[in-house]
């Protein structure tokens, strides 16, 4: 790769590491924020989300790699203690590119891409909405909201909702409830539903007032929105594979 850039979390450790990377790579590649081929994300998984959104207009030509300045993340492969190895690997190692699937989220107003998930969240009152899978009515949901995550996002918000962790990325999406109401009068599936990329989810409501649409770290209002469509996008985020860290290792380091 000829052109690179660094997206850095605004803490002193990340900034120091970012400076070391600049010193190491400026003789190898050109620093180009506008048109990079490689984006190095220095920070946490949150920084990687930010990086992908920052370059979402050029996903076909850019590839991401992450150096984590906290404990090892799910979207990053190197830890800050491995900076020398990272520099060495960029200089000398053959790399491959792997894809992370994204969600395509369309409302009657806008289209969004999500790496982790979309959330429909209402903290003011019960959100009532109809859920369709491939145009077939599934349920009327009542509760705080719903979350649809990718494989990449399965270890984030989805996990806190009791959703499953998905190993591997074959274009799966997982629908999970946020505090659903389940009793004799109102009932929805309750468990998470995992769908492959051949499926589409359609949400419809007379009233999304007071709900917000969360897309990864971003939040949008749902004013004048009455339906939301979700599918696996045909655009992927490309990631540089220089070092292999197994999902089991990541799970153990993060959670066990
Ligand atoms: P944030 O503070 O940047 O992130 C919240 C935490 O989620 C951080 O510890 C972050 O890790 C971690 N995270 C992000 N993506 C992850 C992934 N794919 N797998 C495992 N952990 C991941 O919060 P934010 O900017 O509002 O939201 C960004 C993301 O945070 C959202 O997409 C959502 O999934 C997640 N989040 C989770 C919860 C929850 O679990 N209850 C609540 C809010 C947000 P780093 O520390 O490495 O950045
Ligand atoms: Mn964060």
């Amino acid at each position: 790769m000829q052109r690179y850039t660094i997206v850095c979390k605004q803490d002193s450790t990340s900034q120091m590491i970012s400076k070391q990377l600049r010193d190491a790579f400026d003789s190898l590649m050109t620093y180009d924020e506008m048109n990079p081929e490689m984006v190095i994300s220095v920070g946490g998984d949150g920084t990687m989300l930010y990086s992908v959104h920052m370059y979402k207009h050029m996903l076909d030509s850019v590839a991401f790699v992450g150096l984590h300045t906290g404990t090892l993340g799910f979207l990053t492969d190197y830890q800050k203690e491995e900076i020398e190895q990272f520099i060495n690997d960029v200089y000398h190692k053959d790399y491959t590119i792997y894809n992370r699937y994204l969600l395509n989220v369309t409302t009657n107003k806008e289209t969004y891409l999500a790496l982790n998930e979309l959330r429909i969240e209402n903290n003011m009152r019960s959100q009532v909405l109809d859920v369709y899978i491939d145009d077939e009515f599934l349920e009327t949901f009542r509760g705080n909201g719903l979350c649809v995550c990718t494989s990449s996002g399965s270890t984030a918000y989805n996990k806190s909702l009791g959703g499953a962790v998905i190993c591997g990325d074959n274009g799966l999406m997982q629908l999970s409830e946020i505090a659903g109401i389940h009793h004799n009068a109102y009932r929805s599936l309750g468990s998470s539903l995992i769908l492959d990329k051949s499926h589409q989810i359609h949400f419809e409501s007379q009233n999304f007032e007071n709900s917000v649409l969360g897309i990864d770290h971003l939040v949008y209002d749902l004013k004048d929105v009455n339906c939301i469509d979700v599918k696996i996008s045909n655009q992927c985020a490309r990631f540089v594979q220089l070092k292999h860290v197994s999902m089991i290792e990541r799970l153990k380091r993060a959670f066990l």
Side-chain angles (χ1 to χ4, degrees):
M1 300 213 201
Q2 315 264 296
R3 301 180 307 277
Y4 81 106
T5 193
I6 298 174
V7 176
C8 179
K9 192 174 173 178
Q10 292 307 306
D11 64 283
S12 54
T13 308
S14 303
Q15 281 174 330
M16 194 184 69
I17 284 178
S18 172
K19 166 116 190 16
Q20 279 176 266
L21 295 177
R22 281 294 297 266
D23 291 344
F25 291 144
D26 273 350
S27 59
L28 180 74
M29 296 177 282
T30 308
Y31 192 83
D32 186 345
E33 280 177 21
M34 292 299 288
N35 192 26
E37 289 164 285
M38 178 166 69
V39 174
I40 304 171
S41 174
V42 180
D45 285 332
T47 317
M48 184 58 87
L49 289 176
Y50 182 84
S51 307
V52 170
H53 280 268
M54 197 165 165
Y55 289 97
K56 68 180 173 216
H57 57 290
M58 45 191 294
L59 288 177
D60 292 340
S61 58
V62 82
F64 301 90
V65 62
L67 202 146
H68 206 289
T69 50
T71 52
L72 180 70
F74 286 89
L75 307 173
T76 57
D77 291 338
Y78 290 84
Q79 290 176 270
K80 60 178 184 300
E81 299 74 28
E82 298 172 320
I83 182 168
E84 292 301 330
Q85 188 196 340
F86 176 60
I87 292 167
N88 208 45
D89 287 352
V90 171
Y91 263 86
H92 300 296
K93 244 188 165 175
D94 290 333
Y95 63 88
T96 54
I97 299 286
Y98 68 97
N99 288 327
R100 287 184 183 273
Y101 282 93
L102 304 170
L103 293 174
N104 178 292
V105 182
T106 312
T107 69
N108 43 307
K109 284 178 16 187
E110 286 281 347
T111 295
Y112 310 89
L113 285 177
L115 175 58
N116 269 352
E117 79 280 295
L118 79 98
R119 306 170 306 276
I120 301 167
E121 290 182 282
N122 193 329
N123 295 321
M124 307 273 278
R125 57 176 180 80
S126 290
Q127 177 63 54
V128 183
L129 63 83
D130 291 336
V131 181
Y132 295 80
I133 308 293
D134 306 329
D135 299 326
E136 197 172 337
F137 176 74
L138 171 69
E139 63 185 9
T140 298
F141 170 83
R142 287 177 176 80
N144 280 31
L146 291 168
C147 170
V148 183
C149 73
T150 60
S151 295
S152 299
S154 69
T155 47
Y157 196 104
N158 168 74
K159 187 173 179 297
S160 301
L161 299 173
V165 170
I166 301 176
C167 287
D169 197 344
N170 295 314
L172 300 177
M173 56 183 172
Q174 179 170 188
L175 170 65
S176 297
E177 297 187 356
I178 307 173
I181 298 172
H182 305 113
H183 54 47
N184 290 339
Y186 302 133
R187 184 145 300 281
S188 52
L189 187 63
S191 63
S192 292
L193 180 68
I194 298 179
L195 300 160
D196 71 24
K197 57 178 181 285
S198 65
H199 297 286
Q200 300 202 25
I201 306 174
H202 175 79
F203 301 119
E204 218 172 278
S205 178
Q206 295 303 314
N207 187 358
F208 277 123
E209 206 185 322
N210 302 320
S211 264
V212 292
L213 177 66
I215 300 281
D216 297 339
H217 57 295
L218 303 166
V219 181
Y220 302 93
D221 74 63
L222 285 171
K223 200 168 168 290
D224 301 327
V225 169
N226 45 45
C227 55
I228 300 168
D229 286 282
V230 189
K231 61 181 182 187
I232 293 288
S233 173
N234 47 24
Q235 273 191 298
C236 287
R238 301 163 67 243
F239 277 70
V240 181
Q241 175 95 69
L242 277 164
K243 176 175 183 250
H244 179 74
V245 189
S246 77
M247 186 62 169
I248 301 302
E249 185 61 31
R250 289 179 203 272
L251 288 174
K252 285 198 292 194
R253 287 203 215 174
F255 300 122
L256 300 172

